[in-house]
Amino acid sequence: PEHYPGYGTRGNGSSQAYDTGYKIPAGQQDNAHMGVYSLTSSGSNASDIGNANSAINCRSLGTADTAFSRVNGATAGSATSLDGLGIFIANRTGALSADNKMWKRGAVIQASTSASAVPDATYNLWVAGRNGATPEYSGRTMAFWTIGTGIPDAVLTAYSLIIENVCSRLSASYTAA
């Protein structure tokens, strides 16, 4: 992907993504998060971060003003999202479908309909796309990615705000893009 100083990186939407070299370990099946800070709102059906079998994916904005996410789940949840700007975090903190939520700028916008599933052990996580038998490549400009263990709801709002503030101070604010 191409780097834009002061803003972030952008894939070409057809063949470019970053391979993180990381797979969600089986021990984190019910305890994982991933997120992306998107600077562009253009619609796309390509995932912005994820791996095969849709086990983990987070889309800032689909072509029908819809954001999709799931973390170690069999199906994706969706929510209306009129723009694809700012920090989006897919977060799983337990085995129930209610424990698999998507957050946008510090607020829950979707609770998944999917209970926990074993993490994909074949494909590494990609950023600016989704790794798998049928890969996807995002063309959005993104300034920040986050991957790790699940974050308690009470902490996730503050974490989102920190990311928004850091990106803004680094001149990677979606309001300036």
Side-chain angles (χ1 to χ4, degrees), residues 26-105:
Q28 283 184 246
Q29 176 173 333
D30 299 327
N31 182 24
H33 87 275
M34 44 155 298
V36 59
Y37 185 91
S38 176
L39 296 169
T40 52
S41 188
S42 59
S44 170
N45 278 329
S47 297
D48 297 311
I49 185 170
N51 69 356
N53 303 327
S54 298
I56 299 173
N57 76 47
C58 175
R59 295 179 182 158
S60 293
L61 184 72
T63 55
D65 289 340
T66 305
F68 300 90
S69 77
R70 67 178 127 189
V71 176
N72 302 333
T75 58
S78 64
T80 299
S81 179
L82 299 180
D83 67 58
L85 303 173
I87 184 69
F88 287 76
I89 297 175
N91 189 49
R92 179 176 286 284
T93 56
L96 304 175
S97 60
D99 299 324
N100 190 14
K101 300 174 184 173
M102 183 174 196
W103 296 69
K104 177 181 178 182
R105 297 187 207 136

Side-chain angles (χ1 to χ4, degrees), residues 87 144 155-168:
I87 184 69
F144 187 91
V155 176
L156 207 131
T157 298
Y159 182 64
S160 296
L161 248 133
I162 290 167
I163 294 169
E164 292 269 350
N165 286 332
V166 166
C167 288
S168 178

Side-chain angles (χ1 to χ4, degrees), residues 111-134:
S112 178
T113 58
S114 182
S116 181
V118 176
D120 183 275
T122 305
Y123 297 100
N124 295 334
L125 284 172
W126 279 2
V127 291
R130 185 182 75 161
N131 192 4
T134 306

